[in-house]
Each structure stands twice: as C-alpha cells, then as structure tokens.
Amino acid sequence: MQEPSITPDLIAAHGLKPEEYDRILEIIGREPTFTELGIFSAMWNEHCSYKSSKKWLRTLPTTGPQVICGPGENAGVVDIGDGQAVVFKMESHNHPSYIEPYQGAATGVGGILRDVFTMGARPIASMNSLSFGEPSHPKTRQLVHGVVAGVGGYGNCFGVPCAGGEVRFDPAYNGNCLVNAFAAGLAEADKIFYSAASGVGMPVVYLGAKTGRDGVGGATMASAEFDDSIEEKRPTVQVGDPFTEKRLMEACLELMATGAVISIQDMGAAGLTCSAVEMGDKGGLGVKLQLDAVPQREANMTAYEMMLSESQERMLMVLRPELEAEARAVFEKWDLDFAIVGETIAEDRFLILHGNDIKADLPLATLSGSAPEYDRPWVETAPAVPLDAASVPGVDPIDGLKALIGSINYCARQWVYEQYDTMVMADTARTPGQGAGLIRVHGTDKLLAFTSDVTPRYVKANPFEGGKQAVAEAYRNLTALGAVPLATTDNLNFGNPEKPEIMGQFVGAIKGIGAAVAALDMPIVSGNVSLYNETDGAAILPTPTIGAVGIIRDPETAITGQARDGHVALVLGETHGHLGQSALLAEVFNRVEGDAPPVDLAAEKRHGDFIRANHALIKACTDLSDGGLALAAFEMAEAAGVGVQLDSDDAAPLFGEDQARYLIACNFDQAEALMIAAGQAGVPLASVGRFTGDTVRFGKSEAPLAELSSLFRGTFGATFG
C-alpha cells in the first residue's frame, strides 16, 4: 500500500495542532512516516497524555498508609489487611457509547475489568455512572436501552456483580452521554503486577484475542468534540467479547502464578502503541516489535492499523524467557493467542518492523515523556447569585415529594439494575437501590462498600463546593453502612478545556476534590479524565464522578438494618433549609438557581466518626443529599414497607440540601442513648418524626405509602420500558 503524504489536513485529522507537529519534527529531525504520525497522535491525544489536566492532577492527594499503589498504573491498590488488597479504578467510555451505545458501553466495562485483573486481582464488583439527555430527546431512548444492555451484556457474561451506580438525565447531555465504568478486584498484597518492563532482550508477548481494524483511532476520537460528522466515527468504536475476556482473565491469573510474568499491560486506548511504550518507558528500556508476528483476524492489515487498533481482550507482557513453554501452554489451554512479537532493547528506541520495512523508529522515552503539557488559561467560575428564599413559592410537601419520585431523576432505578447480575459469585451483601453496595470479602469477615457520586448542577454553580460535595457524599454513603472510607477514584468529565470557562470549572472542581479527600482521608489512587464532551459547541454539565471504597472489618459494626414500625427518625447535622440548586427547585419549579450548598469538611468528618462510633445504637441510616429529608425519609420507609411521619410541613427543612447530615432510624431507648452521646460529642442531633403506619405524612399533608411507592417504582419503566 502506498502510504499517504503527510499534509496539514492529515496532521489535523490526527488531532495534532501545527505547533505539536513542529515539536515532532524537532524530536525526530525529519518528517515522520504515516505510522509514526499515527503513533504520535495516539500517544499525544488528550485521552492518553492528559496534556490539559496533568498540571492539576498532580495537586491531588494520592498517598496514605493504606495506599500500596497510587495513580500511574492500570488501577489503584489499597491495603485491606490480612495480606489482602483491593484494586480499583473508574474510567469513561463516553464518546464510543454515544456513537454505538451497546458496544461502546460493553467495551467500557471490558476495559475497566482488564485494568483490574492486569494487576493480578480477581474482579469482585462493578459500578456504572450514567448521564443521559432529557427523556424527550429523540436519541435518549436509544442510548438508555443500548448502554444499559451493553453494560449488562458484558458484565453479566463475564460474571462480576454490579454493586451500585447512578443514572441522571439533563438536557446538557443531549449530544454527549457519559458512561463511567468502575471495577474492583481482590489480590494478595505482595503479588501485585505492574507494567514496568525490566531486563534487556526479554521477549515481548502478545496475549488474548486477535487484532482487527475495530477501534482504529479510538483514543483520538475520544479527544475531540462531536459535530454533524458523528456517524463517520462509528468504525472507531471497538467490539467486545466477554467470553474471551473471561478466558483471558483466567489465563492471566494462572500465568501470574507461574512466575513467568515480568510486567504486563492491557491493550486499551491506543492499543499496541500505548501498551508497548508505557511498559518500555516505565522500565527505562526500548522496545522492538515485529508486526508480522501479531495475530490478526483480518487480511492485509497495515502497520498503522495494527499499531492503532483498539481491538478488545488483548494484553502485552514481558516474559521470563526460561518459562516460555509453561506460559504458552497456559494460553493454549484457554484457546487464546500467545505470540512473541518483539523484545526489550537497551537503546531508547521504539522500533516497529513490518516484513523487512522499518515502519517506525522513534525515541521511546521522548515519545512517552514529551507529550505536550498545557497550562491552559482558565477563569474562575463567577460566584453564584444566592437564591432568594422568598422567591420560592409555597408547595404542599406531599405534592413536592410526588414531583420528585415521579421524575426520571429521582424515581427508583430497578429498571436499570435488574438488567445487571448483582448476585453472581454469591458474596453480595447489599444489592443496588439503597445507597452504597456491599460485597463480602470471600472467606473472611470483612466487607467492602462501594459508591459512586456527583451532583453536576452543584459543580456548575460552584465548582469548588461541588467538587467537595461529590467526595463528601461518597464519604457519607460509605459511613451510613458503618464502613470506614479507604480511598477514591475519580472520573473527571468536562467540556472543551481550550475554553477558559470550562478549564475554570475543571480547576475549581480539582481544588474542591483535593481539599475533601485530604480532610476525609480518602486519597485518590486512580482515575480518568474525559474532556471535549461537547457537541456543536454545547458542553455537558461538569461531572467529576467520585468512586469510593470503604471497609467493614467486623460484620457486627455494619449498619444494614431497616426502619420498622415504632422507630424514631433522627437527623444528625444542622438543617438550614438550603434550596439553592436543589432537586425541589429543579423538578417542581423548573429552576436551576442559587449557589451549591456549602460543605463543612470538619463537620463531615465529625459526623461520620459519630455514626461509626455509635453503630450499635443505629438500626438504619442514610445520608441526606438530593431531595433532602423528605426524599431520604420516603426512600427509607419505602424500602422497609412502613409509613413515616415527619413533624414539619415546611419545604425548606424538608427539601433543603444542607450537607453533613444523616437520617437515622432506631427504637426509643436507642434514640435517647444517641441524644446523650451526641451531647457529649458536641454534634447536633434532632428528632424529626417516626416510622409508623402505612402512610407518608409531612405535618398535616399525607398520602398512602402504597400509592407513592407505585409512582416511585413505576416511573422509569413507564418512561423507557
């Protein structure tokens, strides 16, 4: 094949700016080959190089005594005691999911699972955080059905339980849905596998499925805005096979036990290029690849296509040569490809051969380490105008509750999670639908809690407080189960960073997240940045999703009960009735106004510690967030099948979204003991009502629980079923 000439149009089509191309010329001292241009495009795009975000990501707290491995590897690793570690990460597959919903979402799940088992961990839990446009938009229905089916189709076949997640709808996502996938696995703390190559002349081995033309240019596509040419990008979406992935995992874990693996890296974004360069760079070595040896499922593939393909279910490994026969036997047993495709070399080179032709010869360390790093101009988001409380009309509190639970944003989500396998592996202690999920650590008394949280309208109004709030809500969701928060992963979804106001949102959110994870001892150990989430210049809401993991070391300390008839309802924390950016304002009055609720991190920590210290006195607990006390009390009552009566009928204390608050259900004696303990600890605790009967009553306003439950449970299916 005649390779195309390097023209300004071809350079631009590869997502490279003229000044970036000039830098390439400077590095290699000549015009790049077509394959080399593709390699630079893959390594230097936003998705792989984090060129707009690196400066700010470095400011995040990433260390702690519990952290074994922080950001920079395939996933973060956290010590959970007894020689065990939890390995986890969250990553986006936004752009592919919009173009091809089923495969985009499915391969997002596949990719995050590979990130986990690449490190030697067996996956035990998944989550997904999904953001879609308004239900009336012509594309939303197709996206919801396709994405949910894709997540379920891949995860269910692979065999990992879904522990939780979230789904939201807003017009800002009409042209760009978000699909953030999370996975966690268990490993022995002293048997973690890393990606840094070591040793000269060591074989580089290709493992897994064959390479095809699917996903060529996927990472570059994920680093650009959408416009009306979106359909042309369909070939950049990968196609997944969960059954192959399952075999790949078993083969990799078996191989790791043989001692043959020096380093291993999954082939994700930018495929063979990125995995080979990262392994070489981390080990301070060069890599030589012979592409004729790459297993191919399509005829006449070019070097360019093989280097940039993002075909799924593939790994790259550096192998101990004396154990080649044992390693090959493992992969042949699992009916997977095992091919030596190159070797590590002492020189700082990334040398690509196809037949007798040199298709690329680049300085490897420079290719990896000299990706552009931008200090993008940014403007701080202007302070939000505080909400004039007098401007919020009075509302019957039951009518307000009906508006929330009958809206697509606050109704029950069982239509979604019932399509996911939540019980596979038989270690699920709490299924989705009630705050954080809970998975038993098999063969031990320990439990791991998982949650995913962000409130995008808060972040848009006030990026700093919104960033803090996402972490604080994750902290509360774990705490409400009695779990000690361990660490976090983030998936930072924003619009075009070249716009100073978007970059300002990003910087503000990072500062808020950093302050919160430091104060709450939840370091960021892994994550992903997804920028350019825009269509025709319209950006998504800033959506920095926080995935968090907590631990319960003794099942006796878990708070997993339900409210029952006769229980007292208590609120821990101060209620001021903050309605700015609230669910009530948005869903009842169609107003998105005011400032985000302020987050007092010291209060968050104090109240969290109080919950955990007094777990024995608490039967059921949930945090107060969207929808305030009214929605939290209804959800707790509905889950238990018992009515609830709250003393107030005032909208502000019922629907206000003040932070650092929990709703507690317990019997009268326990309530008395908690009041005494709260007085001693100096934390505010107030009785707000009780759980009883078969109705929901706020002040004098009342409705049958059964009627409200039907609305709550039926809305999602009625909209999308």
Side-chain angles (χ1 to χ4, degrees):
M1 166 191 154
Q2 182 67 41
E3 293 195 341
S5 303
I6 309 296
T7 64
D9 285 351
L10 189 69
I11 294 162
H14 281 76
L16 292 163
K17 299 209 166 8
E19 60 273 22
E20 292 174 344
Y21 183 71
D22 290 343
R23 174 74 179 127
I24 292 170
L25 296 178
E26 197 180 299
I27 289 168
I28 63 175
R30 56 175 172 79
E31 184 179 87
T33 66
F34 180 52
T35 302
E36 289 174 335
L37 183 72
I39 288 169
F40 272 107
S41 164
M43 292 301 300
W44 284 13
N45 65 63
E46 193 72 55
H47 192 74
C48 293
S49 74
Y50 296 99
K51 58 191 178 187
S52 299
S53 57
K54 261 191 277 196
K55 170 184 165 74
W56 296 102
L57 294 176
R58 291 192 193 103
T59 66
L60 289 170
T62 59
T63 57
Q66 69 275 46
V67 178
I68 295 173
C69 175
E73 276 292 338
N74 287 292
V77 186
V78 175
D79 192 335
I80 60 169
D82 309 310
Q84 293 181 302
V86 59
V87 178
F88 63 94
K89 187 184 183 185
M90 183 180 274
E91 202 159 74
S92 62
H93 235 222
N94 304 336
H95 289 64
S97 298
Y98 190 79
I99 298 167
E100 182 57 67
Y102 185 95
Q103 290 296 351
T107 51
V109 174
I112 200 68
L113 288 167
R114 278 196 308 284
D115 280 339
V116 167
F117 70 74
T118 300
M119 301 215 45
R122 183 174 288 277
I124 60 161
S126 69
M127 291 192 293
N128 51 94
S129 177
L130 311 175
S131 305
F132 299 106
E134 56 199 329
S136 60
H137 188 270
K139 200 163 167 74
T140 300
R141 185 179 178 86
Q142 176 212 355
L143 287 170
V144 169
H145 277 264
V147 165
V148 171
V151 169
Y154 203 103
N156 296 353
C157 293
F158 181 86
V160 64
C162 178
E166 50 185 350
V167 188
R168 69 180 57 81
F169 297 85
D170 189 277
Y173 305 104
N174 279 347
N176 207 127
C177 63
L178 302 184
V179 176
N180 293 178
F182 169 100
L186 282 176
E188 292 180 47
D190 60 351
K191 292 188 174 71
I192 305 296
F193 287 82
Y194 299 100
S195 56
S198 64
V200 173
M202 297 296 163
V204 174
V205 184
Y206 173 115
L207 307 168
K210 289 180 168 56
T211 294
R213 289 186 171 92
D214 54 321
V216 172
T220 304
M221 172 274 292
S223 307
E225 293 181 33
F226 285 149
D227 54 29
D228 55 12
S229 66
I230 187 169
E231 285 301 314
E232 296 169 15
K233 296 180 170 64
R234 194 174 298 277
T236 61
V237 178
Q238 314 92 329
V239 178
D241 176 358
F243 298 107
T244 299
E245 177 115 335
K246 179 77 171 171
R247 287 184 289 126
L248 180 63
M249 177 190 73
E250 296 296 351
C252 284
L253 294 178
E254 193 173 320
L255 180 67
M256 289 165 173
T258 67
V261 178
I262 295 175
S263 64
I264 188 163
Q265 173 81 20
D266 85 293
M267 288 195 228
L272 190 53
T273 291
C274 198
S275 53
V277 169
E278 283 189 14
M279 286 172 76
D281 183 51
K282 286 175 183 172
L285 294 165
V287 174
K288 176 182 176 183
L289 296 179
Q290 174 51 258
L291 296 185
D292 298 70
V294 170
Q296 299 159 55
R297 67 165 188 261
E298 297 185 50
N300 303 317
M301 287 190 73
T302 64
Y304 178 95
E305 289 168 334
M306 280 187 271
M307 292 306 296
L308 298 191
S309 165
E310 293 181 12
S311 294
Q312 296 292 285
E313 294 86 41
R314 301 181 301 157
M315 297 279 194
L316 202 64
M317 172 181 75
V318 177
L319 173 74
R320 296 191 193 283
E322 67 275 16
L323 293 172
E324 182 194 330
E326 289 92 328
R328 186 181 294 278
V330 169
F331 273 75
E332 285 177 353
K333 181 183 92 174
W334 288 100
D335 195 24
L336 291 163
D337 277 297
F338 178 102
I340 295 174
V341 295
E343 61 178 344
T344 57
I345 55 178
E347 303 91 338
D348 177 25
R349 293 173 77 190
F350 190 41
L351 185 61
I352 310 299
L353 304 172
H354 193 201
N356 296 317
D357 297 331
I358 296 174
K359 293 295 184 179
D361 188 355
L362 298 169
L364 188 145
T366 311
L367 176 62
S368 176
S370 69
E373 186 173 326
Y374 294 118
D375 185 0
R376 301 269 189 208
W378 59 279
V379 295
E380 193 165 341
T381 302
V385 178
L387 179 71
D388 176 9
S391 74
V392 181
V395 62
D396 178 273
I398 292 294
D399 288 344
L401 178 66
K402 284 179 176 176
L404 291 187
I405 63 177
S407 80
I408 199 64
N409 273 314
Y410 300 106
C411 65
R413 302 302 201 225
Q414 78 275 6
W415 185 92
V416 176
Y417 59 74
E418 284 176 359
Q419 297 186 51
Y420 304 151
D421 193 332
T422 58
M423 298 301 288
V424 63
M425 302 171 80
D427 278 317
T428 302
R430 194 186 211 194
T431 54
Q434 300 176 65
L438 206 52
I439 303 288
R440 287 180 286 270
V441 178
H442 197 78
T444 76
D445 286 337
K446 297 187 292 238
L447 299 112
L448 289 170
F450 300 97
T451 186
S452 160
D453 298 283
V454 65
T455 308
R457 62 176 181 275
Y458 291 175
V459 187
K460 183 161 189 201
N462 188 330
F464 181 68
E465 290 298 330
K468 281 163 63 180
Q469 194 277 338
V471 177
E473 187 173 339
Y475 173 86
R476 291 197 301 273
N477 277 335
L478 299 176
T479 297
L481 276 173
V484 176
L486 283 172
T488 47
T489 180
D490 59 4
N491 203 147
L492 306 173
N493 308 274
F494 290 82
N496 184 343
E498 296 169 49
K499 297 176 179 175
E501 64 275 15
I502 299 290
M503 199 64 207
Q505 291 176 349
F506 181 84
V507 172
I510 285 271
K511 288 180 175 180
I513 291 166
V517 298
L520 301 173
D521 191 21
M522 299 167 69
I524 299 274
V525 296
S526 59
N528 171 237
V529 178
S530 175
L531 303 175
Y532 296 95
N533 290 289
E534 298 200 4
T535 298
D536 295 328
I540 60 161
L541 289 174
T543 312
T545 309
I546 300 294
V549 179
I551 189 164
I552 298 170
R553 299 187 188 279
D554 178 356
E556 293 296 310
T557 64
I559 307 169
T560 55
Q562 289 191 317
R564 67 165 198 262
D565 204 318
H567 273 169
V568 180
L570 304 167
V571 169
L572 173 65
E574 289 187 7
T575 298
H576 302 287
H578 185 100
L579 289 175
Q581 298 298 330
S582 66
L584 180 81
L585 206 63
E587 298 294 344
V588 177
F589 302 109
N590 201 26
R591 291 166 60 183
V592 182
E593 298 170 31
D595 201 355
V599 180
D600 180 338
L601 293 169
E604 293 281 6
K605 183 79 167 65
R606 198 161 52 247
H607 298 173
D609 289 344
F610 179 83
I611 293 283
R612 281 185 290 273
N614 293 279
H615 64 86
L617 299 170
I618 301 171
K619 292 296 187 195
C621 183
T622 183
D623 87 304
L624 301 193
S625 50
D626 285 62
L629 173 60
L631 186 58
F634 165 76
E635 288 182 343
M636 190 181 276
E638 199 271 344
V642 64
V644 62
Q645 299 179 2
L646 299 181
D647 303 330
S648 176
D649 60 3
D650 184 358
L654 282 172
F655 295 97
E657 296 179 7
D658 308 289
Q659 300 295 296
R661 295 189 302 156
Y662 298 83
L663 174 63
I664 294 167
C666 58
N667 63 40
F668 186 77
D669 292 347
Q670 291 167 325
E672 281 195 320
L674 277 170
M675 286 290 189
I676 294 166
Q680 292 169 339
V683 299
L685 185 68
S687 171
V688 294
R690 61 196 179 109
F691 293 90
T692 188
D694 57 5
T695 66
V696 175
R697 193 169 83 208
F698 300 156
K700 294 187 177 66
S701 184
E702 188 173 23
L705 177 64
E707 177 194 317
L708 296 173
S709 181
S710 176
L711 176 64
F712 180 60
R713 296 267 165 195
T715 294
F716 206 106
T719 309
F720 292 111

